[in-house]
Amino acid sequence: MSAQLFVVATPIGHLDDISYRAINVLKSVKVIAAEDTRTSALLLKHFNISTPLTACHDHNESNKVDQLIQRLLLGEDIALISDAGTPLISDPGFKLVRAAQENHIRVIPVPGACAAIAALSAVGLPSDRFSFEGFLPSKSSQRILNLEKLKDETQTLIFYEAPHRILECVKDMVNTFGADRPVGFAREITKTFETIKKMTLSELVEFIANDHHQQKGEIVLVVGGATQEKDMEQEKLDQLLNRLLQDLSVKAASQLAADLTGIKKKVAYQRALELTDKL
């Protein structure tokens, strides 16, 4: 008798961005599991949806999952929504979806708005390869550690950030990624004060610092990947190592390469091993 769990995307601002299918699903299910029932109640009222709401958020999801799974197993269709956008994307819902899959309950996505994808589509940075990094840590020291791990990644990086941390976050990005790294700044997407701009990280610091309005609302940062200069450096290192490996051991070749280029011996050694494996 198991029913279906619908993962329904809702508008991130403009209410017209909800689909007809989403409205019909929300009207037809037995109950709607919502991140914040007060916020979702306004959406349901706007579209004359009378389906009951039940709270399913970060603080109660672990306890609520069993109840919702039991209802699904008894044949009740359920819709999962977040306050805005697509559930599970930096929002609750993962535990419920995982439990539904483990209980062989069909999970059906109802696609729609997503702030990360909306920002990526509009800021003019490469979209063929990207990674969604969500929210960075609130403490600067931890945030910088995370950014250090990402600074050499060549794909476009997408972050969410809270308005009260946005200026310090971008400053940390300048110190880690470099002042000239391109960035897309998307704020309040689809809302009245929507702001979408592309500039360098240093320019963005100045833009935010000079206009306190830019430190309000929902914010997405789309950061360009590491430049081709990294690829060129890698290519030169590979050429050097390939030549040295013709006459020297991996250890000796990596040591000499490190001495000649200034890179860390550990990095040269690891790359020498990789090149040796390809021979």
Side-chain angles (χ1 to χ4, degrees):
M1 292 182 64
S2 63
Q4 301 163 118
L5 173 64
F6 294 90
V7 182
V8 183
T10 55
I12 57 177
H14 201 301
L15 292 178
D16 287 349
D17 290 334
I18 196 169
S19 69
Y20 288 117
R21 183 185 177 204
I23 293 173
N24 289 333
V25 167
L26 294 178
K27 286 182 176 180
S28 66
V29 296
K30 193 71 173 180
V31 66
I32 299 171
E35 181 181 3
D36 187 327
T37 56
R38 294 165 299 179
T39 300
S40 296
L42 300 175
L43 175 71
L44 300 192
K45 181 179 180 181
H46 181 83
F47 290 105
N48 297 313
I49 300 170
S50 58
T51 307
L53 287 163
T54 186
C56 184
H57 47 70
D58 284 332
H59 302 295
N60 79 341
E61 187 177 2
S62 295
N63 297 325
K64 202 62 175 285
V65 164
D66 288 343
Q67 300 174 29
L68 294 173
I69 292 298
Q70 286 305 311
R71 296 185 68 164
L72 285 160
L73 291 173
L74 289 172
E76 296 184 3
D77 287 342
I78 294 176
L80 170 68
I81 63 175
S82 60
D83 287 350
T86 302
L88 280 75
I89 310 302
S90 285
D91 278 330
F94 165 70
K95 294 176 182 176
L96 176 58
V97 170
R98 179 178 59 185
Q101 294 285 3
E102 290 172 349
N103 283 274
H104 308 292
I105 294 166
R106 187 181 179 194
V107 180
I108 302 175
V110 182
C114 175
I117 300 303
L120 179 64
S121 72
V123 298
L125 284 169
S127 57
D128 56 330
R129 290 179 60 244
F130 62 91
S131 62
F132 175 65
E133 302 297 330
F135 285 95
L136 288 163
S138 57
K139 291 184 178 180
S140 181
S141 59
Q142 292 298 314
R143 185 163 59 235
I144 290 172
L145 283 175
N146 279 36
L147 293 173
E148 284 286 348
K149 296 176 182 177
L150 296 168
K151 70 178 182 179
D152 292 331
E153 296 293 331
T154 56
Q155 75 272 19
T156 298
L157 305 170
I158 305 175
F159 303 90
Y160 287 166
E161 190 50 275
H164 64 279
R165 292 197 301 262
I166 185 61
L167 184 56
E168 294 306 314
C169 175
V170 178
K171 287 180 179 179
D172 286 341
M173 287 183 173
V174 168
N175 293 330
T176 308
F177 293 157
D180 294 330
R181 183 77 72 96
V183 59
F185 177 74
R187 185 181 70 89
E188 293 290 85
I189 299 174
T190 78
K191 300 176 185 176
T192 303
F193 298 104
E194 177 181 86
T195 303
I196 298 177
K197 294 190 177 286
K198 180 190 173 190
M199 58 191 83
T200 66
L201 283 170
S202 61
E203 290 170 338
L204 182 56
V205 168
E206 184 177 355
F207 175 67
I208 296 171
N210 292 337
D211 183 357
H212 72 277
H213 292 295
Q214 305 307 322
Q215 299 180 48
K216 298 178 180 179
E218 303 291 330
I219 298 169
V220 184
L221 294 172
V222 184
V223 181
T227 64
Q228 292 301 313
E229 291 178 7
K230 294 291 183 181
D231 294 336
M232 294 176 64
E233 291 174 6
Q234 183 71 62
E235 185 177 347
K236 290 178 180 178
L237 175 62
D238 287 356
Q239 291 175 350
L240 176 60
L241 284 170
N242 278 323
R243 177 62 189 88
L244 294 174
L245 287 167
Q246 292 178 20
D247 303 309
L248 301 173
S249 67
V250 169
K251 183 177 180 181
S254 58
Q255 178 65 68
L256 183 54
D259 292 341
L260 292 172
T261 63
I263 67 170
K264 294 180 179 179
K265 180 183 176 182
K266 183 178 180 180
V267 174
Y269 184 78
Q270 181 60 41
R271 186 55 182 163
L273 286 176
E274 293 171 356
L275 292 173
T276 302
D277 289 340
K278 293 179 181 179
L279 296 177

